[in-house]
Amino acid sequence: MRELTYWQAISEATVQCMAEDPTVLVLGEGVDDHKGTFGTTKTAFERYGAARVVDVPNSENACAGIAIGAAANGMRPLVVHTRADFMFLAMDALVNLAAKWRYMYGDQGGAPVVTRGVVGRGWGQGATHSQSPHATFGHYAGLYVATPASPADAKGLLVQALRGDTPVVLIENRNLYPMTGPVPEEPEPVPFGVGRIARAGDDVTVVAASLMVAEALRAADQLATRGVGVEVVDVRSIRPLDERIICESVARTGRLVVADTSWARYGFAAEVAAVVAETVPEALRAPVRRVTLPDCPAPVSWPLEEAFHPGADEIVEACLALVGDRRGELPRLTSAAAGFHGPY
């Protein structure tokens, strides 16, 4: 199978869905410029022009309202935010309207608007530019929330979102855009709520989302040299969440680490820990470990922000603690996001 980067996979999914469905249109700030939102909307604009790839001003709430109204009238809007932080300005439209439309109006049609939000550390851009709000949106019934970790899933989940009837939030970590991997040429959908075993192992389960899947795989590679088998579960979507694949893995290994790019409290890591505690409590041979952000906003300093975000090294430490081992001579690991140079 040919290989694409993560951003190329998103671009291809967008173009193919626009080709097969004339009601699909793209809205966002800068979707029509020469960079095309990290390249993901550039080809769509070149092929379909400003009538279907629409640049909008800084008006997140208004744009979400327009998109939801269009979706309720049969269109398929794809809204793109180059900074997911500003999706908070669209919360009323997404949570109070899109998520509840079908329930409030007796299943007389929904508002299947799709929203892409880009997250991830920058170079010390501070508290309002370095947060990952997937758990915030995942809290609300009526929304699907996905965190693709591979190029194939970046394409397949977007295809599924643009064909489905449920409003969807797709959270993309900008540090994944250069990642390459096999991607089907056809627009094959990847269903929500079906996770995957990214790596098999017998000693510790690491449940991860988005960029932390890559970090978990790097940690697993190093721990294998110590004889510790790490099973990496990529949930793909946090709502719906594939509870079965999580619980079956923990039932095999008896140990759980949850790795996330957001905070521990009330977040994805807390939800996974609760699911395991409720479903397979007898399987746990050690307390659950969470690898997440420190409980404070992101600092405005590149070196401090580098220290703020956890990565493979922290996952290694958590796994070793669960199996009663110590790091010893194992070398430190750099983050999968090391070397990021922007532009955002």
Side-chain angles (χ1 to χ4, degrees), residues 82-83 118-121 172-178 340 344:
T82 53
R83 280 288 183 188
V118 183
V119 302
R121 75 185 76 173
E172 303 160 7
N173 193 297
R174 62 175 60 83
N175 293 287
L176 292 172
Y177 283 130
F340 175 75
Y344 297 100

Side-chain angles (χ1 to χ4, degrees), residues 22 29 39 148 323:
E29 297 159 20
V323 298

Side-chain angles (χ1 to χ4, degrees), residues 41 83 115 136 235 273-275 279 300 313-314 330:
T41 59
R83 280 288 183 188
T115 304
T136 302
V235 294
V275 165
T279 310
V300 187
D313 229 30
E314 287 77 11
L330 284 177

Side-chain angles (χ1 to χ4, degrees), residues 215-248:
E215 299 285 18
L217 290 171
R218 297 172 66 244
D221 285 343
Q222 186 182 68
L223 287 166
T225 67
R226 182 64 69 82
V228 178
V230 174
E231 182 149 290
V232 179
V233 177
D234 172 9
V235 294
R236 285 179 163 149
S237 65
I238 67 166
R239 180 185 275 272
L241 181 66
D242 188 347
E243 299 181 6
R244 180 193 59 79
I245 197 172
I246 294 170
C247 292
E248 287 182 355

Side-chain angles (χ1 to χ4, degrees), residues 134-136 138-139 260 262-271 290 295:
H134 49 284
T136 302
H139 182 65
D260 190 24
S262 189
W263 294 282
R265 298 185 186 281
Y266 313 107
F268 165 68
E271 177 64 18
R290 291 184 282 179
D295 197 22

Side-chain angles (χ1 to χ4, degrees), residues 118-203:
V118 183
V119 302
R121 75 185 76 173
W123 55 96
Q125 292 168 296
T128 61
H129 291 72
S130 291
Q131 54 199 336
S132 190
H134 49 284
T136 302
F137 290 100
H139 182 65
Y140 296 102
L143 281 179
Y144 283 175
V145 181
T147 55
S150 70
D153 285 349
K155 177 175 180 177
L157 288 165
L158 178 54
V159 170
Q160 178 67 36
L162 288 171
R163 290 179 178 175
D165 294 325
T166 301
V168 177
V169 172
L170 293 161
I171 297 297
E172 303 160 7
N173 193 297
R174 62 175 60 83
N175 293 287
L176 292 172
Y177 283 130
M179 172 188 286
T180 60
V183 178
E185 293 190 25
E186 297 301 315
E188 298 178 6
V190 171
F192 297 106
V194 180
R196 68 181 179 107
I197 301 295
R199 178 189 176 111
D202 298 322
D203 297 314

Side-chain angles (χ1 to χ4, degrees), residues 200-211:
D202 298 322
D203 297 314
V204 183
T205 295
V206 177
V207 177
S210 188
L211 179 68

